[in-house]
Amino acid sequence: MALPLISRLATLASLGALLAGCCANNVCDCPNEAEADAIRIVFGQKFLATDLDTLLLVRYLRPDLKNPAAVLPKPEAVTLPRTAAQLAANEALLINNTAPFGQFGSARLDTFRYVVRYYPNGTRKASQVALFIDQIKLGGSFEGNGCCTCYTNSRKIALTRLAADSLKAVTYTDLRQVQALIVTKP
């Protein structure tokens, strides 16, 4: 038996009113969530524009401490040409879970070690190491209010060595307290 048109419209209106209060209609605004784990690297004033017009970033899968004999894949490298505008603004190099490298399974930044290299005076013959990122320690959780769930970073620490200090102590930087890793030229 078919319901009269008025009954169907009333039912749809009631259903619409119920859905209007539902969280599905709210836009979930999670500021900076996409870059919560990201590492920013800024180069000091001694670097010339020609030093930084092309960077080379190499990432190595960190060994599994539970299985130290496991064979690791070859390191990945990406060449990062930088525009004049990026150089003029001293734009930070950004390393994130999915950029500049592609996602490696479900691995995050803390699964890898990184080496940042540059080409002194724009020469493409031999690159120089600017920074070693030996380890990244990340921690976080998803927090929500019933309608919206956002990732919040609770720990982001980088263990680094500058090229000039490669045999010296590691620097621990809490990247929740400072905006970026600062690389100085020796």
Side-chain angles (χ1 to χ4, degrees):
M1 170 174 156
L3 291 173
L5 181 59
I6 293 243
S7 292
R8 281 188 262 167
L9 290 175
T11 303
L12 284 174
S14 297
L15 184 60
L18 286 173
L19 289 176
C22 179
C23 294
N25 292 330
N26 294 342
V27 174
C28 193
D29 182 26
C30 298
N32 304 320
E33 183 181 54
E35 294 184 4
D37 290 341
I39 305 294
R40 293 183 185 291
I41 300 169
V42 175
F43 296 89
Q45 294 178 339
K46 286 187 179 180
F47 283 97
L48 304 172
T50 55
D51 292 338
L52 303 175
D53 65 354
T54 303
L55 299 173
L56 179 64
L57 181 63
V58 183
R59 82 172 175 182
Y60 301 84
L61 189 62
R62 292 183 61 235
D64 183 356
L65 297 177
K66 296 176 188 172
N67 186 8
V71 177
L72 297 176
K74 290 183 179 181
E76 297 177 89
V78 63
T79 302
L80 304 166
R82 296 166 43 105
T83 66
Q86 289 172 318
L87 293 170
N90 195 15
E91 190 172 300
L93 169 62
L94 187 70
I95 305 173
N96 206 347
N97 290 317
T98 59
F101 297 100
Q103 186 75 34
F104 184 77
S106 62
R108 297 186 325 172
L109 288 174
D110 54 357
T111 309
F112 302 96
R113 292 182 306 116
Y114 298 89
V115 177
V116 180
R117 303 179 75 88
Y118 69 99
Y119 295 95
N121 297 316
T123 63
R124 298 293 180 263
K125 294 180 181 177
S127 62
Q128 297 287 324
V129 173
L131 180 69
F132 295 98
I133 303 174
D134 293 323
Q135 187 176 9
I136 299 168
K137 295 183 178 187
L138 297 173
S141 61
F142 289 95
E143 297 175 7
N145 61 10
C147 288
C148 187
T149 301
C150 297
Y151 176 76
T152 303
N153 202 287
S154 59
R155 180 171 78 159
K156 183 163 61 169
I157 299 171
L159 287 70
T160 61
R161 293 177 288 133
L162 294 174
D165 300 332
S166 63
L167 300 176
K168 294 183 181 177
V170 171
T171 300
Y172 293 81
T173 306
D174 184 347
L175 292 167
R176 292 189 55 215
Q177 303 296 321
V178 297
Q179 296 294 320
L181 297 172
I182 308 294
V183 181
T184 56
K185 188 175 180 180

